[in-house]
Every structure is written in C-alpha cells, then in structure tokens.
Amino acid sequence: MARNWPGTLAGAYLLGMRAVSALPHMESMRINGWKLERPATNQEDDDDALVIMMILFLAIFGTMAGIGVVFLVLYAVGQLVQRARRFVLGLDEDGMSERMRSQLLPDEDSRQSYELARAFERQYPYGSVDTQLTPEQQALIREKGVDAWEFDVTLDVNAMLQSKTEVLFMGGDNCVQTNLPLPKSNSVYYFEIKIVEKPADVSLWIGAATKPYPAWRMTGWNKYSAGYCTNTGSVHQNSPFRGSRIGERLLVGDILGIGYQPRSGVMWFTRNGRRYKEIVSGMLYDLFPTISADGPCSFSANFGQRGFVFIEANVKRWGLGPIEGAMQPPPIYGANQNTILLETAASDSTASEPDETHGDNDSIRTAPESTVLLVDDGSTDIQQEQQQQQLQEQQRQRSRTRSGRRSSSHRPPLYQKEDPIAAQLLEAGSTSLEPVVSYRSKQPKSLEPVASDPPSSS
C-alpha cells in the first residue's frame, strides 16, 4: 500500500472529479460505501436573502440622501441668517456696516470710487464676457511665443505704453491689464514685475484679475482679483478693507514675482527671487496680469522673454509661453546662396527692342529670344555650360552687329535749336549737348533676325 501511494492518490483524484461533475445531474451518489446527497434548495430562503439585500441597499441610499439634505438645509439656513444679519446691521457685500465704511472711506472721492466699483461688478459679473483663449489667440501664441503678451492701455487710463511690457503711469488711480489671459495647459505659470520708478508715497498693486476690471481700482479691491501692495507688503483678495501682510515694503529696483497654478486656483508671490510661504486660494478664473497704481510711477514686466530672478522658474520653464514662436524671421537682405535665378523671355511674342542709330540707313532689329540661366552654387552641369556658351556667342554676335552704334541710354539730353540757352552753350563749345536727331517714324514691315544681318561698315 505504501509503495503504491501515487496510484492511490491518482485514483482518489479521478473519483473526486467524477463526483463533482455528476453532482449537478443527480440527487445522490455512492462512493466507496459512502452516500453523498445534494441538499435540496429552498426557494423561500432565496427570496428572503434577496429582500434583505434590497433593504440594505435602500438603507444605505436613504442615509446618504438624508446627509445631503441635511447639508443643503444647513447651507440654506446659513445664507438666510447671513442675509438677515446684513439687513439688520446694514452690512454690504464685504460685510462692512455704514459706520465702518465711513471710517475706512473718509473722503467723498473714495466713497464714490467704492460705489462705482460695486455698480461695475453688478453690470459685468464674472462670465458675462468670454475671456478664454480663442483659436486666433492660440495661433498668435504659437506664432510669436511669449512676445504675444503685452499690456493694453485704453483711453480712460492716464498711462503711456513705453514698450509692449513697459508702462508709465502719469498720475491718479489707474489700472492696466494684458491682452491675453494666463494659460491653463501647464501646472504652473510665472511672471515678474520690476519697479523702475516710484515715489515713496505711491503704491503699486501687482497681481491678477478677471476682465473687464475697473480702470480706476487697485488690484485686489474688487471681486475675482488678488494683488500685492508694494508700500505695505499686504495682499488683498476681493476686498479693499481686508488684507493679510505677507512680505516687506518694495522699493525701486525690487522685483515681485507671481506664480499661478490654474488647476488648483492657488497664487503665490516672490520677492527678488525668494518665495513667500503664504498663498492665495480660490482663484479658479480666467486671470489676466493686472497692475495698478495710485500715482506716477513706471514698471517693466517679464513674462518669460528673458531670464527670471526666481531660479526655479527658469529651470522648470514656468514662463507664459515659448521664448521663440513658430514664425520664421525674414530672409537676410541680399542672401542668394544656393539659389537658381531664371530669367526667361516670352518665347511666343514678337516684341522687339528698338536701337537708335545715326544716318538715313538706321533700322530696328529684333534679337533672338533666349533663356538666361544663372547658377549661384557653382554647378558644373553640362547643359548649363552649353547654355552659357550659347549665351556668350549670342552676346558676341550682338556686339558685332551693334558696333559703331551708340546706346540710347547714354545719349545726352535733347534740346531745340531755337533754345537760346542751348545756343549759347554750343557757342561756348559745350560737348554735353547734341542736335536733335530725326528718327525714322515708320518701322519696317518685316523684321529680319540679327544673326543674318551683315556687320555694319560704319
């Protein structure tokens, strides 16, 4: 038995496989004296299991729906409470009461600017103007690269555009934006603003905002905007009253960088190549680089057309676009290397070139048409050499037939004999004039080829 254990295992395996294959087709079977019976299925038990599964599914679904309803109710109650609080306390959209506004807006000009800005927001809510990149703008970016971005200076802004990325504010409250928004295809985009000129009492507000934006408001004071104040080092987002201080005061020559992550809506800032830890979140909009000022000053922007002060932006190429676009530069003036110039006369026309000669036997001849092939790349093709030889032979024949003639292009200016000034010149012995030549007015009916004409005896 011990010696034949492989055969015993094989037989047991075959009997087991036969039993398993026969179970679905029989109620019972007997193996080695053991009777195996398949238990009878109970239809009622299956129905009960199905009912239990449905109850569990409904319970889970009902619980989730209940939680969602509770959240909706809490949100609606919160909105109602907030509106009631604003109505009772007289708060505006920024949560400021009339007394607080009077303290923060002491003069009439600031209050009027605030009210006009709120009216502007109601007239132009976000999404009322399509500011996404159009196919034409995308083609412009592919053609010009990062040079496609430039600042727009409208007539209602007291500023002057010194170059595409340099702006001079002439005074007052002004705001400028770029012509194109920040792209969204990459994970991070970055640009830098350098303070070129700025008095100590003038503030620059550097950031990004949606379009259109009030031309008299600082960046970060209105909805869907965020800006860094150079005089206080604070960042304002969607409100002129609440700001968080994250950095230092910026002076002339300092460079403020702005990074934007379009997928998460996060904005962060750098100063002279050093990044601040604080961030601004919730900026999931079509943002435009926006610069504002409350007095005369000037700045220069770097969208990636040159190296950034922030080294990481250079390494990871966070510029707004490629440095060079797909547009090819114009050809160099006078460059004709490796080119072939073909000058072909009309082979079917019978146009002739008049030649003026002296005397009564002057006539007009027509030169045989030819094809001139000029090769600039030094080719030694046999056909080209033959054509050049033919051309030289034709030029020699033409020079022989025109020997003794004077070209009309070098003829001295004509004059009338009765001209007194010309008569005086002739009397003085001037050789720059010659008498009027009477040319033949009627051309010959038949024109003979030049090659058949005998050489002129003159």
Side-chain angles (χ1 to χ4, degrees):
M1 182 66 180
R3 296 180 179 178
N4 199 18
W5 63 268
T8 306
L9 292 178
Y13 174 76
L14 293 176
L15 290 175
M17 292 299 297
R18 290 177 56 189
V20 171
S21 60
L23 280 176
H25 304 286
M26 61 179 60
E27 294 293 334
S28 63
M29 66 178 300
R30 187 177 298 273
I31 301 176
N32 296 333
W34 295 90
K35 184 178 181 181
L36 302 178
E37 295 183 357
R38 187 175 62 179
T41 58
N42 192 349
Q43 187 68 26
E44 295 179 358
D45 295 342
D46 295 343
D47 295 341
D48 293 341
L50 182 60
V51 170
I52 293 172
M53 293 180 60
M54 292 180 63
I55 292 174
L56 290 175
F57 176 76
L58 293 176
I60 296 173
F61 179 76
T63 303
M64 296 178 62
I67 294 173
V69 170
V70 169
F71 275 108
L72 290 177
V73 170
L74 292 177
Y75 177 78
V77 171
Q79 292 292 326
L80 291 176
V81 171
Q82 188 176 4
R83 291 186 179 182
R85 180 173 175 269
R86 290 179 179 177
F87 178 77
V88 173
L89 300 178
L91 304 179
D92 59 0
E93 297 177 356
D94 293 326
M96 307 298 293
S97 62
E98 183 64 28
R99 182 176 60 85
M100 298 174 65
R101 286 198 304 269
S102 61
Q103 293 177 357
L104 297 174
L105 304 173
D107 54 348
E108 183 64 27
D109 292 339
S110 59
R111 285 193 293 269
Q112 185 178 5
S113 174
Y114 177 79
E115 297 298 334
L116 290 176
R118 292 307 175 205
F120 186 90
E121 290 178 352
R122 290 189 293 269
Q123 183 178 0
Y124 298 101
Y126 178 71
S128 59
V129 178
D130 187 11
T131 55
Q132 295 184 355
L133 286 174
T134 61
E136 292 78 9
Q137 293 175 341
Q138 294 177 358
L140 180 65
I141 294 174
R142 289 192 299 268
E143 180 180 354
K144 293 186 176 181
V146 73
D147 291 334
W149 275 268
E150 60 184 23
F151 283 99
D152 286 335
V153 178
T154 57
L155 297 177
D156 54 349
V157 177
N158 188 18
M160 182 175 63
L161 190 64
Q162 295 179 328
S163 67
K164 294 196 301 182
T165 57
E166 297 181 0
V167 179
L168 172 64
F169 289 110
M170 309 299 292
D173 296 343
N174 299 281
C175 177
V176 294
Q177 293 183 289
T178 56
N179 59 336
L180 300 176
L182 297 174
K184 295 183 178 181
S185 58
N186 295 340
S187 58
V188 182
Y189 288 96
Y190 180 82
F191 64 95
E192 292 179 344
I193 303 296
K194 180 180 180 180
I195 303 176
V196 179
E197 295 179 355
K198 185 184 77 66
D201 57 343
V202 175
S203 296
L204 266 173
W205 298 77
I206 304 171
T210 57
K211 211 172 189 178
Y213 193 82
W216 66 93
R217 297 290 284 178
M218 301 297 105
T219 309
W221 284 13
N222 277 54
K223 287 184 177 180
Y224 318 116
S225 66
Y228 184 100
C229 180
T230 58
N231 277 15
T232 61
S234 60
V235 174
H236 287 247
Q237 182 181 9
N238 305 331
S239 174
F241 307 117
R242 292 188 294 269
S244 58
R245 183 181 178 86
I246 67 170
E248 302 85 4
R249 177 188 179 96
L250 300 184
L251 304 176
V252 175
D254 288 339
I255 298 177
L256 182 73
I258 297 178
Y260 176 62
Q261 301 174 8
R263 299 174 185 175
S264 59
V266 172
M267 183 183 299
W268 42 271
F269 301 88
T270 65
R271 176 182 178 271
N272 296 333
R274 184 173 63 87
R275 179 173 176 175
Y276 293 126
K277 297 181 180 179
E278 291 77 5
I279 62 173
V280 177
S281 60
M283 303 297 290
L284 294 171
Y285 316 114
D286 295 330
L287 298 178
F288 293 74
T290 307
I291 315 299
S292 306
D294 57 4
C297 60
S298 63
F299 69 90
S300 174
N302 180 13
F303 298 125
Q305 63 268 24
R306 54 184 180 271
F308 293 116
V309 178
F310 187 46
I311 303 300
E312 186 178 357
N314 292 324
V315 175
K316 298 182 179 180
R317 297 182 180 180
W318 284 346
L320 303 189
I323 298 178
E324 296 181 358
M327 181 177 62
Q328 299 295 331
I332 302 176
Y333 180 76
N336 56 354
Q337 297 179 358
N338 299 326
T339 60
I340 297 177
L341 176 63
L342 295 177
E343 295 181 356
T344 306
S347 57
D348 297 334
S349 62
T350 58
S352 60
E353 179 181 359
D355 293 334
E356 293 89 357
T357 58
H358 299 286
D360 296 337
N361 295 329
D362 296 339
S363 61
I364 300 177
R365 295 289 184 265
T366 302
E369 280 121 14
S370 61
T371 300
V372 180
L373 179 63
L374 301 180
V375 181
D376 297 333
D377 56 356
S379 177
T380 58
D381 188 78
I382 299 177
Q383 296 181 357
Q384 295 175 359
E385 291 182 355
Q386 293 178 356
Q387 293 179 359
Q388 290 180 358
Q389 293 177 1
Q390 294 177 2
L391 176 60
Q392 295 175 359
E393 183 66 24
Q394 293 175 1
Q395 291 178 352
R396 285 195 294 269
Q397 293 179 1
R398 184 178 300 177
S399 62
R400 288 196 298 269
T401 55
R402 292 182 180 179
S403 59
R405 301 178 184 178
R406 183 180 300 177
S407 176
S408 61
S409 59
H410 301 287
R411 185 180 301 280
L414 303 180
Y415 70 97
Q416 301 295 333
K417 288 184 178 182
E418 59 272 10
D419 189 353
I421 297 177
Q424 294 177 4
L425 291 174
L426 287 177
E427 292 177 359
S430 176
T431 59
S432 61
L433 300 176
E434 69 177 15
V436 178
V437 179
S438 59
Y439 297 98
R440 178 176 297 180
S441 59
K442 183 181 296 185
Q443 297 181 357
K445 295 182 179 180
S446 60
L447 299 178
E448 299 177 359
V450 176
S452 60
D453 291 345
S456 178
S457 59
S458 59

